[in-house]
Amino acid sequence: MFLTLTTTGTPERPATDLGFLLHKHPEKAQAFSTSYGTAHVLYPEADAERCTAALLLEVDAVALVRRGKGKGRGGAPDAALAQYVNDRPYAASSLLAVALSSVFSSAMRGVCNARPELPAAPRPLRVEVPALPARGGPDLVRRLFEPLGWTVTAEPVPLETEFPEWGDSRYVRLELESADRTLAEALRHLYVLLPVLDDAKHYWVSSEEVDKLLRAGEGWLAGHPEQKLITSRYLSRRWSLTRQATERLELVRLAEADDSEVEEIDNAVEAETETEERPTPLAVRRREAITAALKAAGAARVLDLGCGQGQLVQALLKDPVFTEIVGLDVSMRALTIASRRLKLDRMGERQATRVKLLQGSLAYTDRRLKGYDAAVLSEVIEHLDLPRLPALEYAVFGSARPRTVLVTTPNVEYNVRWESLPAGHVRHGDHRFEWTRAEFRTWARSVAERHGYGVEFEPVGPDDSEVGPPTQMAVFTLTTPKEAKAA
Ligand code: SAH
């Protein structure tokens, strides 16, 4: 089982940087033992112009069987011999993918402490896999890699070179080329797509695999035209897992379409409400209103649900009354930006114990969210389709159940005050709805009623006498403790 990665370089950007990126020195051949055999990393060529790293996996077929996981496809009754005599030692497959992720784990995450600037810089890359089992053949190989910007060569390997009339085997020789790629991207594509092509996992697929798939698929899977096939095969066609992954990917796709627009819209709203002195952006006013409401409620341990890029988390961290702040979002991209903004990796130990970022979806109940004083949903509900709102409602008010919940959302009535917004339009593309004050209040009161909360409303931003404020906020306070409600 064998794979090579090649890059070319110049004297300023030598190809041997590949050694830094992979965290494996070009002058040493290294061996790593994995649970299924030994992985070797060696460099057949390494100079400034061209550098190739090879990952060679020596699979111990017996160890594979001893672990009870080397069963042939479907565990056919005659698989006894096939357990020992099979293609696993030779073919690239999920074993190779696992080896990639364990031997090159930092590279896959795009981390390089010695040369922090390297991972983000795209460079020419070529990947070669001489024997890739590919169910679906060269055509599927192309359908999987081409949309990701790779130039693909996929040649079927004949069953027997001496007898071409026997036809092709199920293997292809794969070559991927790209003029500008980050190594992390390339590794994450391979990590997911090699097992997808092999279509036979060597281990039992559990719900953890959904997380792994989403992590490795970050930034490319949500928009991939073959996303369904990839997800279903990666999760060994386990229907419930596939559905979970598909739903989460859909949310990621929506959230990623979104992000950057938020502040833009706020600035536009601001242009309309300009006064003599420099106006405070609406987003800042929102954070001030939220902070004040949290303090008024005496909250110390706070959830920021749908935290986006972490601006509120950052603001709350500045105030020592907040002893614990947890940001949760469905978008890994937003969380990555949040983590950079907060400098989580450079934070002192004491600060670091006050803050946590979690990936998760508000469409599901989540035990990690129980036991906090307050939860904030700032400009989040309007990003969900209306039929999903009851699920969020249950996750927050029914399951997490903090004493205080703050919900902010645009007031659609205010949109007429915003000249740049064509009549009848929402503030940006990903808003599924925008409510009038009456609509928001009706919803909030019925939520409060169903879950034993009281609710009050506060304007955020200039409160126009006719159309109200640009942002509306509901402050929910728990009135019926859980025990009483259950009784
Ligand atoms: N709270 C931030 C960001 C608002 S944008 C602010 O006030 O600026 C909406 C955020 O909700 C996005 O970051 C999006 O990723 C997140 N989001 C959308 N649907 C979600 C869901 N089902 N679960 C968790 N987060 C979600």
Side-chain angles (χ1 to χ4, degrees), residues 102 201 208 236 252 270 275 346 384 406 416:
S102 60
K201 281 252 158 127
E208 261 172 59
S236 299
V252 170
E270 226 34 62
T275 52
R346 272 170 281 164
L384 275 83
L406 307 180
V416 296

Side-chain angles (χ1 to χ4, degrees), residues 251 255 258 306-308 328-331 360-363 378-380 383-384:
L251 292 169
D258 167 34
C307 63
L328 172 128
D329 206 286
V330 75
S331 160
S361 167
L362 293 164
S378 163
E379 308 295 283
V380 173
H383 290 266
L384 275 83

Side-chain angles (χ1 to χ4, degrees), residues 123-202:
R123 59 184 313 139
L125 271 184
R126 211 175 75 147
V127 180
E128 242 191 287
V129 189
L132 171 69
R135 261 193 86 211
D139 176 54
L140 182 62
V141 175
R142 279 189 286 271
R143 271 168 31 222
L144 293 182
F145 285 100
E146 277 174 357
L148 300 170
W150 291 101
T151 306
V152 180
T153 312
E155 290 166 353
V157 176
L159 256 184
E160 175 57 72
T161 33
E162 308 242 327
F163 302 97
E165 64 277 17
W166 289 9
D168 293 329
S169 67
R170 64 183 194 96
Y171 298 89
V172 300
R173 191 183 70 79
L174 172 69
E175 226 180 271
L176 302 173
E177 258 179 304
S178 169
D180 49 356
R181 261 279 110 88
T182 69
L183 183 66
E185 272 177 312
L187 291 173
R188 291 196 278 114
H189 294 164
L190 294 168
Y191 175 76
V192 173
L193 296 179
L194 295 184
V196 161
L197 282 163
D198 185 22
D199 203 17
K201 281 252 158 127
H202 68 279

Side-chain angles (χ1 to χ4, degrees), residues 251-252 254-256 258-259 262-263 266 283 286-287 290 304-312 328-332 334-335 359-364 376-384 388 392 408 428 430-431:
L251 292 169
V252 170
L254 294 174
E256 290 188 345
D258 167 34
D259 290 354
V262 176
E263 299 276 326
D266 282 343
R286 220 164 19 230
R287 291 196 279 277
I290 290 167
D304 181 9
L305 305 176
C307 63
Q309 306 184 354
Q311 292 94 333
L312 178 66
L328 172 128
D329 206 286
V330 75
S331 160
M332 278 304 279
L335 290 173
Q359 201 264 343
S361 167
L362 293 164
Y364 301 92
V376 178
L377 287 154
S378 163
E379 308 295 283
V380 173
I381 58 169
E382 66 276 11
H383 290 266
L384 275 83
R388 291 226 150 230
L392 171 139
T408 78
H428 78 69
D430 192 46
H431 284 183

Side-chain angles (χ1 to χ4, degrees), residues 352-388:
T353 57
R354 287 177 64 211
V355 57
K356 226 184 329 190
L357 295 178
L358 304 176
Q359 201 264 343
S361 167
L362 293 164
Y364 301 92
T365 58
D366 189 334
R367 249 183 274 132
R368 297 174 298 178
L369 306 183
K370 286 183 194 271
Y372 286 84
D373 299 333
V376 178
L377 287 154
S378 163
E379 308 295 283
V380 173
I381 58 169
E382 66 276 11
H383 290 266
L384 275 83
D385 285 321
L386 275 173
R388 291 226 150 230

Side-chain angles (χ1 to χ4, degrees), residues 5-18 21 45-53 121-127 177-181:
L5 296 161
T6 301
T7 187
T8 50
T10 57
E12 299 78 52
R13 291 188 69 200
T16 41
D17 281 352
L18 187 64
L21 284 166
E45 55 186 341
D47 56 42
E49 267 164 46
R50 229 179 118 83
C51 182
T52 297
R123 59 184 313 139
L125 271 184
R126 211 175 75 147
V127 180
E177 258 179 304
S178 169
D180 49 356
R181 261 279 110 88

Side-chain angles (χ1 to χ4, degrees), residues 140 143-145 147-148 189 192-193 195-197 199 201 213 217 220-237 242 245 249:
L140 182 62
R143 271 168 31 222
L144 293 182
F145 285 100
L148 300 170
H189 294 164
V192 173
L193 296 179
V196 161
L197 282 163
D199 203 17
K201 281 252 158 127
L213 175 64
W220 62 272
L221 182 53
H224 196 293
E226 296 291 347
Q227 184 217 300
K228 285 217 165 71
L229 177 139
I230 296 170
T231 309
S232 151
R233 279 198 185 184
Y234 187 91
L235 298 168
S236 299
R237 298 195 176 75
T242 306
L249 281 165

